[in-house]
Amino acid sequence: KAGVTQTPRYLIKTRGQQVTLSCSPISGHRSVSWYQQTPGQGLQFLFEYFSETQRNKGNFPGRFSGRQFSNSRSEMNVSTLELGDSALYLCASSLTGYSYNEQFFGPGTRLTVL
Amino acid sequence: GQQLNQSPQSMFIQEGEDVSMNCTSSSIFNTWLWYKQDPGEGPVLLIALYKAGELTSNGRLTAQFGITRKDSFLNISASIPSDVGIYFCAGQSDSGGSNYKLTFGKGTLLTVNP
Protein backbone atom coordinates (compact mmCIF):
# COMPACT_ATOMS: atom_id res chain seq x y z
CA LYS A 1 0.00 0.00 0.00
CA ALA A 2 1.11 3.58 -0.60
CA GLY A 3 3.16 5.31 2.07
CA VAL A 4 2.89 8.82 3.44
CA THR A 5 3.16 11.36 0.68
CA GLN A 6 4.13 14.99 1.03
CA THR A 7 3.78 17.72 -1.54
CA PRO A 8 5.61 19.57 -2.77
CA ARG A 9 8.96 17.89 -2.16
CA TYR A 10 10.91 21.11 -2.64
CA LEU A 11 9.87 24.72 -2.24
CA ILE A 12 11.64 28.05 -2.41
CA LYS A 13 10.05 31.14 -0.90
CA THR A 14 11.19 34.59 0.12
CA ARG A 15 10.98 36.23 3.52
CA GLY A 16 7.55 37.53 4.40
CA GLN A 17 5.68 35.11 2.16
CA GLN A 18 3.49 32.32 3.42
CA VAL A 19 3.56 28.67 2.50
CA THR A 20 1.24 25.68 2.71
CA LEU A 21 2.55 22.14 2.84
CA SER A 22 0.43 19.06 2.30
CA CYS A 23 0.55 15.58 3.79
CA SER A 24 -1.49 12.59 2.66
CA PRO A 25 -1.41 9.83 5.27
CA ILE A 26 -1.47 6.13 4.68
CA SER A 27 -4.98 5.01 3.86
CA GLY A 28 -6.97 4.45 7.03
CA HIS A 29 -4.60 6.38 9.27
CA ARG A 30 -6.30 9.01 11.40
CA SER A 31 -3.33 10.69 13.07
CA VAL A 32 -0.93 13.08 11.36
CA SER A 33 2.04 14.64 13.13
CA TRP A 34 4.33 17.34 11.81
CA TYR A 35 7.99 17.86 12.61
CA GLN A 36 10.62 20.42 11.61
CA GLN A 37 14.16 19.22 10.95
CA THR A 38 17.09 21.63 10.80
CA PRO A 39 20.84 21.05 11.14
CA GLY A 40 21.01 23.27 14.20
CA GLN A 41 17.95 22.23 16.18
CA GLY A 42 17.45 18.73 14.82
CA LEU A 43 13.96 17.26 14.76
CA GLN A 44 11.30 19.21 16.62
CA PHE A 45 7.63 18.39 17.11
CA LEU A 46 5.25 20.93 15.61
CA PHE A 47 1.79 19.48 16.23
CA GLU A 48 -0.41 16.41 15.89
CA TYR A 49 -3.90 16.10 14.47
CA PHE A 50 -6.26 13.25 15.11
CA SER A 51 -9.73 13.08 13.58
CA GLU A 52 -9.51 16.74 12.56
CA THR A 53 -8.59 17.91 16.09
CA GLN A 54 -5.22 19.20 17.21
CA ARG A 55 -4.14 17.00 20.11
CA ASN A 56 -0.95 18.78 21.05
CA LYS A 57 1.50 21.30 19.78
CA GLY A 58 5.18 22.01 20.21
CA ASN A 59 6.94 25.23 21.09
CA PHE A 60 6.61 27.08 17.83
CA PRO A 61 5.23 30.59 17.26
CA GLY A 62 1.70 31.15 16.08
CA ARG A 63 2.96 31.64 12.52
CA PHE A 64 2.96 27.86 12.31
CA SER A 65 -0.51 26.40 12.01
CA GLY A 66 -2.11 23.31 10.67
CA ARG A 67 -5.36 21.55 10.01
CA GLN A 68 -6.70 18.16 9.15
CA PHE A 69 -9.51 17.35 6.78
CA SER A 70 -12.19 14.71 7.09
CA ASN A 71 -10.22 12.39 4.81
CA SER A 72 -7.28 12.70 7.26
CA ARG A 73 -5.14 14.68 4.83
CA SER A 74 -3.34 17.45 6.64
CA GLU A 75 -1.85 20.79 5.75
CA MET A 76 0.51 23.01 7.64
CA ASN A 77 0.87 26.71 6.99
CA VAL A 78 3.69 29.04 7.84
CA SER A 79 2.96 32.73 7.54
CA THR A 80 5.41 35.63 7.34
CA LEU A 81 8.33 33.36 6.53
CA GLU A 82 11.71 33.99 8.15
CA LEU A 83 15.12 32.77 7.04
CA GLY A 84 15.19 30.44 10.04
CA ASP A 85 12.14 28.60 8.76
CA SER A 86 14.30 26.93 6.14
CA ALA A 87 14.07 23.28 7.04
CA LEU A 88 12.89 19.83 6.11
CA TYR A 89 9.27 19.48 7.20
CA LEU A 90 8.28 15.92 7.93
CA CYS A 91 4.86 14.52 8.52
CA ALA A 92 4.07 11.13 9.94
CA SER A 93 0.81 9.21 10.05
CA SER A 94 -0.43 6.48 12.31
CA LEU A 95 -3.52 4.34 12.55
CA THR A 96 -4.65 4.87 16.11
CA GLY A 97 -2.42 7.73 17.14
CA TYR A 98 -0.89 5.88 20.08
CA SER A 99 1.65 3.29 18.98
CA TYR A 100 5.12 4.19 17.81
CA ASN A 101 5.37 0.98 15.81
CA GLU A 102 2.55 2.10 13.55
CA GLN A 103 3.79 5.63 12.93
CA PHE A 104 5.35 6.12 9.49
CA PHE A 105 7.13 9.20 8.22
CA GLY A 106 6.91 10.75 4.79
CA PRO A 107 9.99 11.87 2.84
CA GLY A 108 9.51 15.50 3.81
CA THR A 109 9.19 18.85 2.09
CA ARG A 110 12.42 20.82 1.81
CA LEU A 111 11.58 24.50 2.33
CA THR A 112 14.18 27.13 1.51
CA VAL A 113 13.51 30.73 2.52
CA LEU A 114 15.58 33.36 0.74
CA GLY B 1 12.89 22.95 27.39
CA GLN B 2 14.00 19.34 27.45
CA GLN B 3 17.19 18.45 25.66
CA LEU B 4 18.75 15.18 24.64
CA ASN B 5 22.50 14.90 24.33
CA GLN B 6 23.36 12.30 21.75
CA SER B 7 26.89 11.07 21.19
CA PRO B 8 28.95 10.63 19.25
CA GLN B 9 27.97 13.14 16.56
CA SER B 10 29.57 10.98 13.90
CA MET B 11 31.36 7.67 13.54
CA PHE B 12 33.47 6.22 10.77
CA ILE B 13 33.96 2.48 11.12
CA GLN B 14 35.02 -0.57 9.17
CA GLU B 15 32.50 -3.15 8.03
CA GLY B 16 32.13 -5.87 10.64
CA GLU B 17 32.84 -3.62 13.61
CA ASP B 18 30.40 -3.08 16.45
CA VAL B 19 28.96 0.39 17.08
CA SER B 20 27.63 2.02 20.21
CA MET B 21 25.86 5.35 20.61
CA ASN B 22 23.95 6.88 23.49
CA CYS B 23 21.64 9.61 24.61
CA THR B 24 21.38 11.33 27.95
CA SER B 25 18.84 13.73 29.29
CA SER B 26 18.54 16.08 32.22
CA SER B 27 14.94 14.96 32.72
CA ILE B 28 13.09 11.68 32.93
CA PHE B 29 11.47 10.02 29.94
CA ASN B 30 8.70 7.42 29.94
CA THR B 31 9.60 6.10 26.52
CA TRP B 32 12.83 5.95 24.56
CA LEU B 33 12.89 5.44 20.82
CA TRP B 34 15.65 4.91 18.27
CA TYR B 35 15.25 5.87 14.60
CA LYS B 36 17.36 5.66 11.45
CA GLN B 37 17.12 8.18 8.65
CA ASP B 38 18.47 7.63 5.17
CA PRO B 39 19.13 10.53 2.79
CA GLY B 40 15.96 11.92 1.24
CA GLU B 41 13.70 9.89 3.50
CA GLY B 42 11.93 10.25 6.78
CA PRO B 43 13.05 8.48 9.96
CA VAL B 44 12.22 4.83 10.43
CA LEU B 45 11.63 3.41 13.90
CA LEU B 46 14.20 0.80 14.89
CA ILE B 47 13.43 0.06 18.53
CA ALA B 48 10.97 1.33 21.13
CA LEU B 49 11.64 1.02 24.88
CA TYR B 50 8.89 1.44 27.43
CA LYS B 51 10.30 0.76 30.88
CA ALA B 52 13.45 1.41 32.87
CA GLY B 53 16.03 -1.33 32.50
CA GLU B 54 14.39 -2.78 29.40
CA LEU B 55 16.81 -4.34 26.92
CA THR B 56 15.40 -4.97 23.46
CA SER B 57 16.91 -6.39 20.29
CA ASN B 58 15.96 -6.08 16.65
CA GLY B 59 18.28 -8.23 14.59
CA ARG B 60 21.79 -6.87 14.99
CA LEU B 61 20.50 -3.88 16.95
CA THR B 62 20.18 -3.79 20.73
CA ALA B 63 18.94 -0.89 22.79
CA GLN B 64 18.47 -0.32 26.50
CA PHE B 65 16.32 2.02 28.56
CA GLY B 66 18.53 3.30 31.38
CA ILE B 67 17.62 2.57 34.99
CA THR B 68 17.53 6.27 35.84
CA ARG B 69 15.15 6.84 32.89
CA LYS B 70 17.49 9.62 31.78
CA ASP B 71 19.55 7.70 29.25
CA SER B 72 19.51 5.07 26.56
CA PHE B 73 22.02 3.39 24.30
CA LEU B 74 21.94 1.68 20.94
CA ASN B 75 24.41 -0.98 19.85
CA ILE B 76 24.84 -2.27 16.32
CA SER B 77 26.80 -5.48 15.97
CA ALA B 78 28.77 -6.62 12.94
CA SER B 79 28.06 -3.49 10.92
CA ILE B 80 27.38 -3.71 7.19
CA PRO B 81 27.43 -0.99 4.51
CA SER B 82 23.64 -0.55 4.56
CA ASP B 83 23.87 0.55 8.21
CA VAL B 84 25.06 3.91 6.90
CA GLY B 85 22.74 6.73 7.89
CA ILE B 86 21.79 9.04 10.71
CA TYR B 87 20.57 7.49 13.93
CA PHE B 88 18.35 9.47 16.27
CA CYS B 89 17.23 8.86 19.79
CA ALA B 90 13.95 10.32 20.96
CA GLY B 91 12.20 10.51 24.29
CA GLN B 92 8.62 11.00 25.32
CA SER B 93 7.85 12.31 28.77
CA ASP B 94 4.38 13.76 28.79
CA SER B 95 1.75 12.64 26.39
CA GLY B 96 -0.42 15.65 27.12
CA GLY B 97 -2.78 14.31 24.54
CA SER B 98 -0.18 13.18 22.05
CA ASN B 99 2.30 10.32 22.31
CA TYR B 100 4.09 11.76 19.30
CA LYS B 101 5.26 14.91 21.08
CA LEU B 102 8.85 13.69 21.14
CA THR B 103 12.18 15.24 22.05
CA PHE B 104 14.91 14.19 19.64
CA GLY B 105 18.66 13.96 19.90
CA LYS B 106 20.75 15.71 17.24
CA GLY B 107 21.69 12.42 15.63
CA THR B 108 24.74 10.23 15.05
CA LEU B 109 26.01 10.05 11.48
CA LEU B 110 27.33 6.55 10.85
CA THR B 111 29.64 5.80 7.96
CA VAL B 112 30.68 2.21 7.28
CA ASN B 113 33.74 1.55 5.16
CA PRO B 114 33.38 -1.72 3.19
Side-chain angles (χ1 to χ4, degrees):
Chain A
K1 72 185 175 183
V4 179
T5 57
Q6 293 187 245
T7 56
R9 291 293 310 277
Y10 301 91
L11 202 51
I12 299 175
K13 292 285 188 178
T14 56
R15 278 182 300 174
Q17 287 187 310
Q18 75 165 15
V19 67
T20 299
L21 311 181
S22 180
C23 174
S24 293
I26 293 171
S27 178
H29 284 198
R30 296 166 63 191
S31 161
V32 174
S33 303
W34 288 90
Y35 301 84
Q36 181 196 63
Q37 186 173 25
T38 60
Q41 298 298 317
L43 271 156
Q44 294 182 283
F45 173 83
L46 279 157
F47 29 65
E48 184 208 357
Y49 286 87
F50 184 86
S51 293
E52 302 179 66
T53 301
Q54 187 182 85
R55 290 213 289 195
N56 210 337
K57 60 181 296 187
N59 299 322
F60 280 82
R63 300 185 297 107
F64 291 81
S65 63
R67 59 178 177 169
Q68 186 179 33
F69 302 94
S70 58
N71 62 359
S72 292
R73 189 177 70 85
S74 177
E75 289 181 346
M76 68 162 283
N77 183 276
V78 188
S79 62
T80 319
L81 284 166
E82 301 176 359
L83 294 179
D85 297 333
S86 295
L88 180 67
Y89 290 88
L90 294 160
C91 81
S93 76
S94 79
L95 184 63
T96 65
Y98 290 100
S99 170
Y100 302 102
N101 293 303
E102 63 175 28
Q103 186 193 38
F104 299 93
F105 284 81
T109 292
R110 173 75 61 185
L111 171 65
T112 301
V113 182
L114 303 176
Chain B
Q2 295 173 324
Q3 289 187 343
L4 287 183
N5 296 310
Q6 184 171 351
S7 64
Q9 283 188 312
S10 63
M11 301 182 74
F12 188 93
I13 63 171
Q14 295 295 123
E15 182 177 359
E17 289 184 355
D18 297 344
V19 171
S20 184
M21 58 193 79
N22 69 85
C23 276
T24 59
S25 169
S26 58
S27 51
I28 289 172
F29 286 103
N30 297 323
T31 301
W32 281 95
L33 307 166
W34 285 92
Y35 293 87
K36 179 182 180 231
Q37 185 174 23
D38 291 328
E41 299 183 13
V44 174
L45 180 67
L46 299 173
I47 293 179
L49 303 158
Y50 299 103
K51 57 182 181 180
E54 180 180 356
L55 184 71
T56 298
S57 293
N58 178 7
R60 294 177 296 105
L61 278 60
T62 302
Q64 184 159 31
F65 191 142
I67 289 292
T68 65
R69 295 167 64 194
K70 294 183 179 181
D71 63 311
S72 176
F73 72 75
L74 174 71
N75 287 341
I76 305 173
S77 63
S79 60
I80 59 178
S82 61
D83 290 335
V84 165
I86 303 177
Y87 292 80
F88 294 97
C89 63
Q92 199 275 343
S93 60
D94 175 15
S95 62
S98 173
N99 282 353
Y100 301 131
K101 186 176 183 180
L102 303 171
T103 301
F104 287 85
K106 294 288 181 66
T108 295
L109 173 61
L110 178 64
T111 304
V112 179
N113 190 31

